[in-house]
Amino acid sequence: MTTRNSAMVARAELYCPQVDGLAARPVSAEHVSSFIVHVPRSNARQRQALITFAVEERIAAPLQSVQIIQGPLADASPGDHLAFVLSNDVMTQVTQEDAPHLPEYLLIPRPPSDNGPAWAVWKEGNRAVVRCSDGTGFAANVNMLPLLWQRAGRPSLRALGEPLGADLPAENLSATPPPPDPIDVAFSFAQPRKAAARGLAAWKWAAVAVGAALALHMTIAALNLRALSQIAETERRAAELAISDILPGMTLTREVGPVLARLTPAQVVATESSFLPLLSDVSRVLTDAPVGFRRMAWGASENTLVVLMQSPGLDDLQGIEQTLEASGFAVRSGAATAGDGGAEVEMRIARGDGG
């Protein structure tokens, strides 16, 4: 599990803060995947759930078999986060030891990205550890490094360990490799887990995680190019079917906007102009509310968001309804129910002006 790179071990002893007299131990990059994910604005208790579901579609493993932990990312753009993914087995080994642990590529400073993407490479023998300018990192066999470099678009290179060879034009900093970022070397896998243990009971916020995940998936689906193409194809087929009696055999081109506007103007407006803004505004109003979305539906003809909400108590649900109405929304609530797991009610939320 710990790295075979002796230079990384030495840098951990030199730069990382000790815990109870124990030096930090770098975890091999082969055991820790890293991703940059962008999630909507959220409070602290929702962010972990958003990051988890953003990473889910990018890993070839079930969520229950891995741990997803937010890492340090200095000078990040708003909404950008660094996520580490490691197996449950590796995390178990980490937590059973008293020494702090961190991914070995955090011991390499991020190369500047003023002129585009860049890699800082620490080569030792036939293995290279790479730190990318976006904050992610990986390890690779040196024989594969030229191919990976070309497929990555030939980012600029900095050699911090052994020279990289003639095939990889790099700025050689081997004589005086720069120190790592203090924010990076202060990270330990155990710290996020301890912080989570000091939070509120998990059952209180399970509904919040589910609701945040639903909102994230809807947003991603709406912005994803492939999903938009599928929506456009569905609308084209619906339009052809609608006009088949009037213009039999007619095949629509991609420019179907004018035809759809005449045939189904309400659906087009609701799908592409009303749903996402309404969802975004509702989510922003409820950012700090103790609420989860168990089920969500969309009434296109009425421009209405139908949400089954869950909260710890009936008073919280009443407060949420009042908050929405005070923010200019028209809210119709069904009969609320309460039990040991909390309270829930179905709300139909629309703009205050009805549209």
Side-chain angles (χ1 to χ4, degrees), residues 194-223:
K194 291 178 181 179
R198 293 194 296 267
L200 296 172
W203 70 268
K204 290 186 177 180
W205 306 115
V208 175
V210 173
L214 285 172
L216 176 63
H217 278 294
M218 289 182 178
T219 303
I220 292 175
L223 298 178

PDB file of all heavy atoms in Angstrom, residues 194-223:
ATOM      1  N   LYS A 194     -12.577  11.645  10.639  1.00  0.00           N
ATOM      2  CA  LYS A 194     -12.817  12.094  12.004  1.00  0.00           C
ATOM      3  C   LYS A 194     -13.781  13.283  12.030  1.00  0.00           C
ATOM      4  O   LYS A 194     -14.621  13.396  12.912  1.00  0.00           O
ATOM      5  CB  LYS A 194     -11.487  12.473  12.668  1.00  0.00           C
ATOM      6  CG  LYS A 194     -10.581  11.279  12.926  1.00  0.00           C
ATOM      7  CD  LYS A 194      -9.264  11.710  13.539  1.00  0.00           C
ATOM      8  CE  LYS A 194      -8.352  10.507  13.780  1.00  0.00           C
ATOM      9  NZ  LYS A 194      -7.051  10.915  14.346  1.00  0.00           N
ATOM     10  N   ALA A 195     -13.633  14.173  11.054  1.00  0.00           N
ATOM     11  CA  ALA A 195     -14.539  15.321  11.003  1.00  0.00           C
ATOM     12  C   ALA A 195     -15.972  14.871  10.760  1.00  0.00           C
ATOM     13  O   ALA A 195     -16.923  15.407  11.339  1.00  0.00           O
ATOM     14  CB  ALA A 195     -14.092  16.282   9.893  1.00  0.00           C
ATOM     15  N   ALA A 196     -16.131  13.864   9.902  1.00  0.00           N
ATOM     16  CA  ALA A 196     -17.481  13.362   9.640  1.00  0.00           C
ATOM     17  C   ALA A 196     -18.076  12.730  10.888  1.00  0.00           C
ATOM     18  O   ALA A 196     -19.276  12.826  11.144  1.00  0.00           O
ATOM     19  CB  ALA A 196     -17.432  12.346   8.499  1.00  0.00           C
ATOM     20  N   ALA A 197     -17.235  12.057  11.688  1.00  0.00           N
ATOM     21  CA  ALA A 197     -17.735  11.409  12.897  1.00  0.00           C
ATOM     22  C   ALA A 197     -18.227  12.411  13.921  1.00  0.00           C
ATOM     23  O   ALA A 197     -19.066  12.095  14.770  1.00  0.00           O
ATOM     24  CB  ALA A 197     -16.635  10.541  13.514  1.00  0.00           C
ATOM     25  N   ARG A 198     -17.719  13.631  13.860  1.00  0.00           N
ATOM     26  CA  ARG A 198     -18.165  14.653  14.805  1.00  0.00           C
ATOM     27  C   ARG A 198     -19.432  15.350  14.345  1.00  0.00           C
ATOM     28  O   ARG A 198     -19.958  16.218  15.035  1.00  0.00           O
ATOM     29  CB  ARG A 198     -17.049  15.698  14.985  1.00  0.00           C
ATOM     30  CG  ARG A 198     -15.801  15.167  15.677  1.00  0.00           C
ATOM     31  CD  ARG A 198     -14.916  16.312  16.106  1.00  0.00           C
ATOM     32  NE  ARG A 198     -14.413  17.064  14.958  1.00  0.00           N
ATOM     33  CZ  ARG A 198     -13.253  16.826  14.374  1.00  0.00           C
ATOM     34  NH1 ARG A 198     -12.487  15.848  14.793  1.00  0.00           N
ATOM     35  NH2 ARG A 198     -12.849  17.551  13.355  1.00  0.00           N
ATOM     36  N   GLY A 199     -19.932  15.046  13.175  1.00  0.00           N
ATOM     37  CA  GLY A 199     -21.144  15.695  12.647  1.00  0.00           C
ATOM     38  C   GLY A 199     -22.408  15.128  13.247  1.00  0.00           C
ATOM     39  O   GLY A 199     -22.393  14.305  14.159  1.00  0.00           O
ATOM     40  N   LEU A 200     -23.534  15.543  12.698  1.00  0.00           N
ATOM     41  CA  LEU A 200     -24.825  15.043  13.148  1.00  0.00           C
ATOM     42  C   LEU A 200     -25.012  13.600  12.736  1.00  0.00           C
ATOM     43  O   LEU A 200     -24.339  13.093  11.835  1.00  0.00           O
ATOM     44  CB  LEU A 200     -25.942  15.919  12.549  1.00  0.00           C
ATOM     45  CG  LEU A 200     -25.936  17.375  13.015  1.00  0.00           C
ATOM     46  CD1 LEU A 200     -26.955  18.159  12.204  1.00  0.00           C
ATOM     47  CD2 LEU A 200     -26.246  17.489  14.499  1.00  0.00           C
ATOM     48  N   ALA A 201     -25.988  12.924  13.349  1.00  0.00           N
ATOM     49  CA  ALA A 201     -26.257  11.520  13.042  1.00  0.00           C
ATOM     50  C   ALA A 201     -26.594  11.370  11.568  1.00  0.00           C
ATOM     51  O   ALA A 201     -27.260  12.212  10.968  1.00  0.00           O
ATOM     52  CB  ALA A 201     -27.406  11.012  13.899  1.00  0.00           C
ATOM     53  N   ALA A 202     -26.122  10.257  10.987  1.00  0.00           N
ATOM     54  CA  ALA A 202     -26.265  10.088   9.546  1.00  0.00           C
ATOM     55  C   ALA A 202     -27.723  10.025   9.106  1.00  0.00           C
ATOM     56  O   ALA A 202     -28.067  10.490   8.024  1.00  0.00           O
ATOM     57  CB  ALA A 202     -25.529   8.815   9.102  1.00  0.00           C
ATOM     58  N   TRP A 203     -28.586   9.471   9.938  1.00  0.00           N
ATOM     59  CA  TRP A 203     -29.976   9.308   9.495  1.00  0.00           C
ATOM     60  C   TRP A 203     -30.675  10.629   9.291  1.00  0.00           C
ATOM     61  O   TRP A 203     -31.590  10.740   8.473  1.00  0.00           O
ATOM     62  CB  TRP A 203     -30.753   8.463  10.507  1.00  0.00           C
ATOM     63  CG  TRP A 203     -31.011   9.147  11.823  1.00  0.00           C
ATOM     64  CD1 TRP A 203     -30.246   9.093  12.931  1.00  0.00           C
ATOM     65  CD2 TRP A 203     -32.125   9.993  12.148  1.00  0.00           C
ATOM     66  NE1 TRP A 203     -30.791   9.843  13.935  1.00  0.00           N
ATOM     67  CE2 TRP A 203     -31.952  10.415  13.491  1.00  0.00           C
ATOM     68  CE3 TRP A 203     -33.246  10.444  11.442  1.00  0.00           C
ATOM     69  CZ2 TRP A 203     -32.850  11.247  14.129  1.00  0.00           C
ATOM     70  CZ3 TRP A 203     -34.135  11.279  12.092  1.00  0.00           C
ATOM     71  CH2 TRP A 203     -33.940  11.670  13.419  1.00  0.00           C
ATOM     72  N   LYS A 204     -30.262  11.657  10.000  1.00  0.00           N
ATOM     73  CA  LYS A 204     -30.924  12.955   9.861  1.00  0.00           C
ATOM     74  C   LYS A 204     -30.669  13.569   8.494  1.00  0.00           C
ATOM     75  O   LYS A 204     -31.468  14.359   8.013  1.00  0.00           O
ATOM     76  CB  LYS A 204     -30.436  13.913  10.950  1.00  0.00           C
ATOM     77  CG  LYS A 204     -30.917  13.553  12.355  1.00  0.00           C
ATOM     78  CD  LYS A 204     -30.522  14.629  13.343  1.00  0.00           C
ATOM     79  CE  LYS A 204     -31.053  14.327  14.735  1.00  0.00           C
ATOM     80  NZ  LYS A 204     -30.685  15.375  15.718  1.00  0.00           N
ATOM     81  N   TRP A 205     -29.543  13.221   7.890  1.00  0.00           N
ATOM     82  CA  TRP A 205     -29.180  13.880   6.637  1.00  0.00           C
ATOM     83  C   TRP A 205     -29.183  12.920   5.449  1.00  0.00           C
ATOM     84  O   TRP A 205     -28.751  13.276   4.364  1.00  0.00           O
ATOM     85  CB  TRP A 205     -27.787  14.511   6.767  1.00  0.00           C
ATOM     86  CG  TRP A 205     -27.710  15.425   7.945  1.00  0.00           C
ATOM     87  CD1 TRP A 205     -26.938  15.281   9.059  1.00  0.00           C
ATOM     88  CD2 TRP A 205     -28.461  16.619   8.158  1.00  0.00           C
ATOM     89  NE1 TRP A 205     -27.161  16.296   9.932  1.00  0.00           N
ATOM     90  CE2 TRP A 205     -28.088  17.143   9.417  1.00  0.00           C
ATOM     91  CE3 TRP A 205     -29.433  17.296   7.395  1.00  0.00           C
ATOM     92  CZ2 TRP A 205     -28.655  18.293   9.930  1.00  0.00           C
ATOM     93  CZ3 TRP A 205     -29.984  18.454   7.917  1.00  0.00           C
ATOM     94  CH2 TRP A 205     -29.590  18.930   9.169  1.00  0.00           C
ATOM     95  N   ALA A 206     -29.667  11.689   5.663  1.00  0.00           N
ATOM     96  CA  ALA A 206     -29.742  10.765   4.539  1.00  0.00           C
ATOM     97  C   ALA A 206     -30.654  11.309   3.442  1.00  0.00           C
ATOM     98  O   ALA A 206     -30.359  11.208   2.252  1.00  0.00           O
ATOM     99  CB  ALA A 206     -30.244   9.403   5.018  1.00  0.00           C
ATOM    100  N   ALA A 207     -31.778  11.890   3.846  1.00  0.00           N
ATOM    101  CA  ALA A 207     -32.711  12.441   2.866  1.00  0.00           C
ATOM    102  C   ALA A 207     -32.091  13.608   2.119  1.00  0.00           C
ATOM    103  O   ALA A 207     -32.331  13.804   0.928  1.00  0.00           O
ATOM    104  CB  ALA A 207     -34.002  12.885   3.558  1.00  0.00           C
ATOM    105  N   VAL A 208     -31.274  14.404   2.810  1.00  0.00           N
ATOM    106  CA  VAL A 208     -30.610  15.525   2.155  1.00  0.00           C
ATOM    107  C   VAL A 208     -29.671  15.012   1.071  1.00  0.00           C
ATOM    108  O   VAL A 208     -29.598  15.561  -0.028  1.00  0.00           O
ATOM    109  CB  VAL A 208     -29.828  16.365   3.200  1.00  0.00           C
ATOM    110  CG1 VAL A 208     -29.040  17.470   2.522  1.00  0.00           C
ATOM    111  CG2 VAL A 208     -30.795  16.952   4.213  1.00  0.00           C
ATOM    112  N   ALA A 209     -28.937  13.926   1.372  1.00  0.00           N
ATOM    113  CA  ALA A 209     -28.017  13.365   0.388  1.00  0.00           C
ATOM    114  C   ALA A 209     -28.765  12.872  -0.840  1.00  0.00           C
ATOM    115  O   ALA A 209     -28.333  13.073  -1.975  1.00  0.00           O
ATOM    116  CB  ALA A 209     -27.215  12.220   1.018  1.00  0.00           C
ATOM    117  N   VAL A 210     -29.909  12.204  -0.624  1.00  0.00           N
ATOM    118  CA  VAL A 210     -30.695  11.699  -1.750  1.00  0.00           C
ATOM    119  C   VAL A 210     -31.201  12.861  -2.607  1.00  0.00           C
ATOM    120  O   VAL A 210     -31.120  12.834  -3.837  1.00  0.00           O
ATOM    121  CB  VAL A 210     -31.870  10.840  -1.247  1.00  0.00           C
ATOM    122  CG1 VAL A 210     -32.787  10.455  -2.396  1.00  0.00           C
ATOM    123  CG2 VAL A 210     -31.335   9.583  -0.561  1.00  0.00           C
ATOM    124  N   GLY A 211     -31.725  13.892  -1.952  1.00  0.00           N
ATOM    125  CA  GLY A 211     -32.230  15.042  -2.696  1.00  0.00           C
ATOM    126  C   GLY A 211     -31.133  15.754  -3.466  1.00  0.00           C
ATOM    127  O   GLY A 211     -31.307  16.156  -4.611  1.00  0.00           O
ATOM    128  N   ALA A 212     -29.954  15.899  -2.818  1.00  0.00           N
ATOM    129  CA  ALA A 212     -28.838  16.548  -3.499  1.00  0.00           C
ATOM    130  C   ALA A 212     -28.389  15.730  -4.697  1.00  0.00           C
ATOM    131  O   ALA A 212     -28.059  16.277  -5.747  1.00  0.00           O
ATOM    132  CB  ALA A 212     -27.672  16.733  -2.522  1.00  0.00           C
ATOM    133  N   ALA A 213     -28.402  14.410  -4.554  1.00  0.00           N
ATOM    134  CA  ALA A 213     -28.002  13.557  -5.674  1.00  0.00           C
ATOM    135  C   ALA A 213     -28.971  13.677  -6.842  1.00  0.00           C
ATOM    136  O   ALA A 213     -28.566  13.736  -8.007  1.00  0.00           O
ATOM    137  CB  ALA A 213     -27.924  12.102  -5.202  1.00  0.00           C
ATOM    138  N   LEU A 214     -30.280  13.709  -6.539  1.00  0.00           N
ATOM    139  CA  LEU A 214     -31.267  13.863  -7.598  1.00  0.00           C
ATOM    140  C   LEU A 214     -31.073  15.177  -8.336  1.00  0.00           C
ATOM    141  O   LEU A 214     -31.121  15.237  -9.565  1.00  0.00           O
ATOM    142  CB  LEU A 214     -32.680  13.789  -7.004  1.00  0.00           C
ATOM    143  CG  LEU A 214     -33.171  12.385  -6.598  1.00  0.00           C
ATOM    144  CD1 LEU A 214     -34.496  12.515  -5.860  1.00  0.00           C
ATOM    145  CD2 LEU A 214     -33.305  11.489  -7.801  1.00  0.00           C
ATOM    146  N   ALA A 215     -30.859  16.248  -7.569  1.00  0.00           N
ATOM    147  CA  ALA A 215     -30.682  17.557  -8.197  1.00  0.00           C
ATOM    148  C   ALA A 215     -29.440  17.578  -9.068  1.00  0.00           C
ATOM    149  O   ALA A 215     -29.429  18.131 -10.169  1.00  0.00           O
ATOM    150  CB  ALA A 215     -30.606  18.644  -7.119  1.00  0.00           C
ATOM    151  N   LEU A 216     -28.360  16.947  -8.583  1.00  0.00           N
ATOM    152  CA  LEU A 216     -27.124  16.923  -9.355  1.00  0.00           C
ATOM    153  C   LEU A 216     -27.291  16.148 -10.654  1.00  0.00           C
ATOM    154  O   LEU A 216     -26.877  16.587 -11.724  1.00  0.00           O
ATOM    155  CB  LEU A 216     -26.008  16.297  -8.506  1.00  0.00           C
ATOM    156  CG  LEU A 216     -24.659  16.120  -9.213  1.00  0.00           C
ATOM    157  CD1 LEU A 216     -24.084  17.471  -9.601  1.00  0.00           C
ATOM    158  CD2 LEU A 216     -23.691  15.367  -8.331  1.00  0.00           C
ATOM    159  N   HIS A 217     -27.921  14.957 -10.563  1.00  0.00           N
ATOM    160  CA  HIS A 217     -28.098  14.160 -11.763  1.00  0.00           C
ATOM    161  C   HIS A 217     -28.974  14.890 -12.785  1.00  0.00           C
ATOM    162  O   HIS A 217     -28.733  14.814 -13.993  1.00  0.00           O
ATOM    163  CB  HIS A 217     -28.726  12.808 -11.412  1.00  0.00           C
ATOM    164  CG  HIS A 217     -27.724  11.799 -10.928  1.00  0.00           C
ATOM    165  ND1 HIS A 217     -26.729  11.297 -11.737  1.00  0.00           N
ATOM    166  CD2 HIS A 217     -27.544  11.231  -9.714  1.00  0.00           C
ATOM    167  CE1 HIS A 217     -25.999  10.432 -11.061  1.00  0.00           C
ATOM    168  NE2 HIS A 217     -26.472  10.379  -9.822  1.00  0.00           N
ATOM    169  N   MET A 218     -30.014  15.590 -12.322  1.00  0.00           N
ATOM    170  CA  MET A 218     -30.868  16.326 -13.257  1.00  0.00           C
ATOM    171  C   MET A 218     -30.094  17.450 -13.931  1.00  0.00           C
ATOM    172  O   MET A 218     -30.243  17.702 -15.132  1.00  0.00           O
ATOM    173  CB  MET A 218     -32.079  16.887 -12.510  1.00  0.00           C
ATOM    174  CG  MET A 218     -33.075  15.805 -12.099  1.00  0.00           C
ATOM    175  SD  MET A 218     -34.511  16.503 -11.273  1.00  0.00           S
ATOM    176  CE  MET A 218     -35.475  15.020 -10.987  1.00  0.00           C
ATOM    177  N   THR A 219     -29.265  18.134 -13.156  1.00  0.00           N
ATOM    178  CA  THR A 219     -28.489  19.236 -13.717  1.00  0.00           C
ATOM    179  C   THR A 219     -27.492  18.726 -14.736  1.00  0.00           C
ATOM    180  O   THR A 219     -27.337  19.278 -15.826  1.00  0.00           O
ATOM    181  CB  THR A 219     -27.752  19.984 -12.589  1.00  0.00           C
ATOM    182  OG1 THR A 219     -28.712  20.442 -11.639  1.00  0.00           O
ATOM    183  CG2 THR A 219     -26.988  21.171 -13.153  1.00  0.00           C
ATOM    184  N   ILE A 220     -26.778  17.638 -14.365  1.00  0.00           N
ATOM    185  CA  ILE A 220     -25.800  17.074 -15.289  1.00  0.00           C
ATOM    186  C   ILE A 220     -26.473  16.585 -16.565  1.00  0.00           C
ATOM    187  O   ILE A 220     -25.993  16.814 -17.680  1.00  0.00           O
ATOM    188  CB  ILE A 220     -25.035  15.928 -14.602  1.00  0.00           C
ATOM    189  CG1 ILE A 220     -24.154  16.491 -13.472  1.00  0.00           C
ATOM    190  CG2 ILE A 220     -24.161  15.164 -15.603  1.00  0.00           C
ATOM    191  CD1 ILE A 220     -23.460  15.434 -12.658  1.00  0.00           C
ATOM    192  N   ALA A 221     -27.616  15.913 -16.406  1.00  0.00           N
ATOM    193  CA  ALA A 221     -28.321  15.396 -17.582  1.00  0.00           C
ATOM    194  C   ALA A 221     -28.750  16.523 -18.506  1.00  0.00           C
ATOM    195  O   ALA A 221     -28.705  16.390 -19.724  1.00  0.00           O
ATOM    196  CB  ALA A 221     -29.533  14.580 -17.146  1.00  0.00           C
ATOM    197  N   ALA A 222     -29.194  17.658 -17.898  1.00  0.00           N
ATOM    198  CA  ALA A 222     -29.656  18.779 -18.713  1.00  0.00           C
ATOM    199  C   ALA A 222     -28.520  19.436 -19.450  1.00  0.00           C
ATOM    200  O   ALA A 222     -28.705  19.951 -20.553  1.00  0.00           O
ATOM    201  CB  ALA A 222     -30.378  19.789 -17.826  1.00  0.00           C
ATOM    202  N   LEU A 223     -27.309  19.424 -18.861  1.00  0.00           N
ATOM    203  CA  LEU A 223     -26.173  20.097 -19.473  1.00  0.00           C
ATOM    204  C   LEU A 223     -25.346  19.177 -20.349  1.00  0.00           C
ATOM    205  O   LEU A 223     -24.535  19.645 -21.132  1.00  0.00           O
ATOM    206  CB  LEU A 223     -25.279  20.693 -18.377  1.00  0.00           C
ATOM    207  CG  LEU A 223     -25.934  21.758 -17.489  1.00  0.00           C
ATOM    208  CD1 LEU A 223     -24.974  22.216 -16.419  1.00  0.00           C
ATOM    209  CD2 LEU A 223     -26.396  22.946 -18.320  1.00  0.00           C
TER     210      LEU A 223
END
